[in-house]
Amino acid sequence: MGSLVIAYTVTKAGRGYRWSALAGLGFIGVYLLDLCRIFPVPPNPMSTLLATLEWVGTALGGALVIISLVLSQRAAATSAAPSLPKPVMFGLGLVALIIVAFATKSAMGI
């Protein structure tokens, strides 16, 4: 979730889009590693909901990469700093919070 806040701040400032794209690639990498069971696996199998949320997180990471690169190209072409609407950022933050909550709950076996 912190990375989404950083991405919003970077977007609002109008520079550093490549760092946001790198953060998106990090999201994708971590989620795919977890889905491929590279990380330690608890005795309880991953729930369908958690797997779905991790795939959603992977898609959001991909969206962050694409949006960051598109905005980077637009910012290079114009002097105006484009920004994402606050409701979009709120929605992304909410989805990230839900993913973290279910991942934690599942990993703890609660």
Side-chain angles (χ1 to χ4, degrees):
M1 184 151 150
S3 296
L4 291 174
V5 172
I6 291 170
Y8 175 74
T9 304
V10 166
T11 302
K12 194 76 166 164
R15 59 183 181 273
Y17 294 106
R18 291 189 179 133
W19 289 108
S20 294
L22 188 60
L25 289 174
F27 274 119
I28 293 169
V30 168
Y31 284 128
L32 288 179
L33 287 173
D34 192 34
L35 287 166
C36 293
R37 300 182 184 270
I38 302 297
F39 295 126
V41 179
N44 299 338
M46 183 183 297
S47 70
T48 305
L49 179 59
L50 179 58
T52 302
L53 289 174
E54 288 199 356
W55 281 112
V56 168
T58 302
L60 289 174
L64 179 59
V65 170
I66 292 167
I67 290 171
S68 297
L69 294 176
V70 168
L71 290 176
S72 172
Q73 291 175 356
R74 283 188 187 171
T78 65
S79 61
S83 62
L84 294 173
K86 287 186 181 183
V88 171
M89 292 308 300
F90 178 76
L92 289 174
L94 185 61
V95 169
L97 184 61
I98 291 169
I99 290 170
V100 169
F102 278 107
T104 304
K105 181 181 174 186
S106 178
M108 295 177 67
I110 299 174

